[in-house]
Amino acid sequence: MEHIVKILATHPVTHDVKSFTVEKPAGYSFVPGQATDVSINTSAWKNELRPFTFTSLDSDPHLEFTIKRYPEHHGVTDALHRLQAGDELILHDVWGAINYKGPGCFIAGGAGITPFLAILRWLKQTGHEQGNTLLFSNRAYADIIQEAELRNILGNQAIFYLTQETRDGFRQGELNQQELSVYAGNTALYFYICGPDKMVTGLADSLRRLAVNDDRMVVEA
């Protein structure tokens, strides 16, 4: 089913990420970590659907999407970032992406943080944030999405990695098997992974080498 909704507001999150607040259709419901296919309601773009995760909560009166722009593609995200309040989007049915199964280690690369934003906001709202850890990798400090909020939710269990920059208070370099080994031995933890395909595949393989079973890994399907 299609839902035509208006953009209510946009605001920058980083130099290439914007937050979009949009109307919420009546009866529209989702759980943290889920997504929908979105297109722009113009003749040129309405058939160009792309998946985006909700970064709002189902209890919120409006929907929110946090979207990174990829100008080199000259595509949908570039067009989305040119939209303003009053422009229209087309939303489709909700589908399952990453769902929370229990306390765990959230591993994100860049815009892969978006499904975890909703989950962590929900955990904070319900008082269940304890026992969770975030390992969040970005190229540079300027690329980090919602750093202050993530630190507020998880405190020192929000751990940030910079792969192309050195900065006090941040770990430098790629997330690797040695870093994951700190958490892999806890058989009660789930491992939630979202980011570039190569990163997700590599980290899942590293976890398997650390004897983490696939049923303890939650990745975007």
Side-chain angles (χ1 to χ4, degrees):
M1 181 180 293
E2 292 185 354
H3 304 273
I4 297 175
V5 296
K6 286 185 178 180
I7 296 173
L8 301 174
T10 71
H11 70 267
V13 177
T14 73
H15 63 99
D16 61 359
V17 175
K18 273 189 176 180
S19 172
F20 295 78
T21 302
V22 307
E23 294 174 326
K24 185 177 183 180
Y28 204 70
S29 183
F30 59 92
V31 299
Q34 287 191 308
T36 188
D37 291 316
V38 178
S39 60
I40 301 169
N41 191 27
T42 65
S43 57
W45 292 104
K46 65 181 180 180
N47 294 319
E48 296 291 333
L49 281 65
R50 297 293 185 274
F52 294 108
T53 307
F54 305 103
T55 50
S56 51
L57 300 182
D58 192 46
S59 57
D60 293 336
H62 305 119
L63 301 176
E64 180 191 81
F65 299 96
T66 303
I67 298 174
K68 182 174 179 178
R69 176 175 175 253
Y70 297 91
E72 66 276 12
H73 297 169
H74 304 292
V76 173
T77 62
D78 206 29
L80 281 166
H81 271 239
R82 292 195 295 268
L83 299 181
Q84 300 176 355
D87 290 330
E88 292 181 339
L89 303 178
I90 304 173
L91 309 183
H92 295 75
D93 291 336
V94 172
W95 47 273
I98 293 179
N99 295 322
Y100 185 71
K101 294 187 174 183
C105 185
F106 292 85
I107 306 168
I113 192 65
T114 54
F116 302 156
L117 272 177
I119 293 171
L120 292 170
R121 286 169 173 173
W122 174 71
L123 291 172
K124 179 71 171 179
Q125 183 186 72
T126 58
H128 293 92
E129 70 273 22
Q130 296 298 317
N132 293 282
T133 298
L134 172 67
L135 309 179
F136 188 11
S137 178
N138 288 274
R139 287 177 297 180
Y141 178 75
D143 299 321
I144 300 175
I145 297 170
Q146 303 294 10
E147 178 203 355
E149 181 182 6
L150 293 167
R151 289 190 188 277
N152 177 259
I153 294 172
L154 293 174
N156 60 12
Q157 292 307 304
I159 302 167
F160 297 85
Y161 295 76
L162 301 178
T163 61
Q164 296 181 14
E165 184 179 333
T166 300
R167 191 180 182 97
D168 288 345
F170 295 81
R171 299 190 185 181
Q172 203 275 326
E174 301 277 354
L175 262 167
N176 55 39
Q177 186 168 317
Q178 182 178 352
E179 299 279 343
L180 295 177
S181 67
V182 175
Y183 308 96
N186 185 343
T187 58
L189 289 181
Y190 287 92
F191 291 85
Y192 304 88
I193 314 171
C194 189
D197 290 344
K198 183 178 179 181
M199 172 187 173
V200 172
T201 300
L203 292 177
D205 287 344
S206 292
L207 286 167
R208 292 185 187 102
R209 288 192 290 271
L210 292 167
V212 175
N213 295 327
D214 280 11
D215 61 5
R216 289 171 58 202
M217 288 186 247
V218 182
V219 299
E220 196 165 29

